[in-house]
Amino acid sequence: MSRLVALLTDFGTDDPYAGQVAAVLAANSDAQIVSLTHGVPAHHVHLGASIVDASLELLPTGGVLLAVVDPGVGTERRGLIVRRDDRWLVGPDNGLLTPTRGDIQCWSIDRPEAWRDTVAPTFHARDIFAPIAARLANYERPDWLGSTVQDPVRVNRPSACSDGPNIRGEVIHVDAFGNLITNIPAALVQTAHMLETQVSDARIRGLAATYGTGHEPVALIGSWNLLEIAVPGGSAAQRLGCRIGDVVTVKRQ
């Protein structure tokens, strides 16, 4: 049975890069290929890692996630195969694939015979990572493709912090609808009897069930299982003048 290979990059869709990666996958496997997104802001490893975290469980067991947000392409940084939650991840060893903590298995991609015959130093996604993802989709063993490593890069991503009843976080993404996705996990706010979310000049009481509640800005738990701020029928980013990095404070009772 063919495996699923999901793609996540910062390549955009105006250039041929994402399509070339998919072409290499299709030429070397029978995998079903889907794109999670090619719209990660350029070089934004932290956001890419958050999308990996939010998306990995949606892949079937044994599925492959090829994730490339790689400002260090062509340098001495390693390529990595990661076994995590019974799925495979392939990409650069820069924190994109690895959780901040937790047990994972990792292999350094260091067997050139498994790569494309010609490797461009500026395009490891096409010439190294895609062939490796295809081989994993073909049920090849990771130890045929690389050497075991114990020290993958783990990056401390911006995380929400709790100070008594108050939580301080930040906007980590503005989606195409203008919704403000924060780094505040649902678990920190869903148990509160009452709460008030503050971002910019807005103070929002309680949690809405969905985006279409009322007409004023709302706070809710979105599909990333994180706190979001939205404006029903509009853009919270425009309405509130917010962008990535802006502080979000939640007061709990």
Side-chain angles (χ1 to χ4, degrees), residues 152-202:
V153 173
R154 298 193 190 232
V155 177
N156 288 322
R157 307 170 203 160
S159 59
C161 59
S162 180
D163 178 16
N166 298 331
I167 305 165
R168 180 183 174 90
E170 64 180 66
V171 177
I172 61 170
H173 182 51
V174 179
D175 71 12
F177 298 97
N179 301 319
L180 308 176
I181 299 171
T182 79
N183 60 350
I184 299 175
L188 290 182
V189 296
Q190 284 181 319
T191 57
H193 176 65
M194 294 181 61
L195 60 83
E196 180 182 83
T197 302
Q198 181 174 349
V199 58
S200 185
D201 294 331

Side-chain angles (χ1 to χ4, degrees), residues 4-10 13 18 22 25 32-40 47-60 63-68 87-89 96-97 173 224:
L4 178 83
V5 178
L7 301 176
L8 180 155
T9 77
D10 61 350
T13 55
L25 286 167
Q32 179 185 359
I33 303 167
V34 299
S35 292
L36 291 176
T37 181
H38 298 294
V40 177
L47 177 57
S50 294
I51 298 174
V52 168
D53 291 349
S55 305
L56 189 61
E57 67 175 13
L58 302 176
L59 272 65
V64 182
L65 176 54
L66 174 52
V68 185
R87 282 93 173 165
W88 300 103
L89 299 94
L96 178 67
L97 311 179
H173 182 51
W224 295 28

Side-chain angles (χ1 to χ4, degrees), residues 1 6 11 30 37 62 82 95 106 111 138 154 162 181 222 225:
M1 187 175 74
F11 296 162
D30 293 326
T37 181
V82 176
C106 299
R111 308 281 168 80
N138 290 337
R154 298 193 190 232
S162 180
I181 299 171
N225 210 31

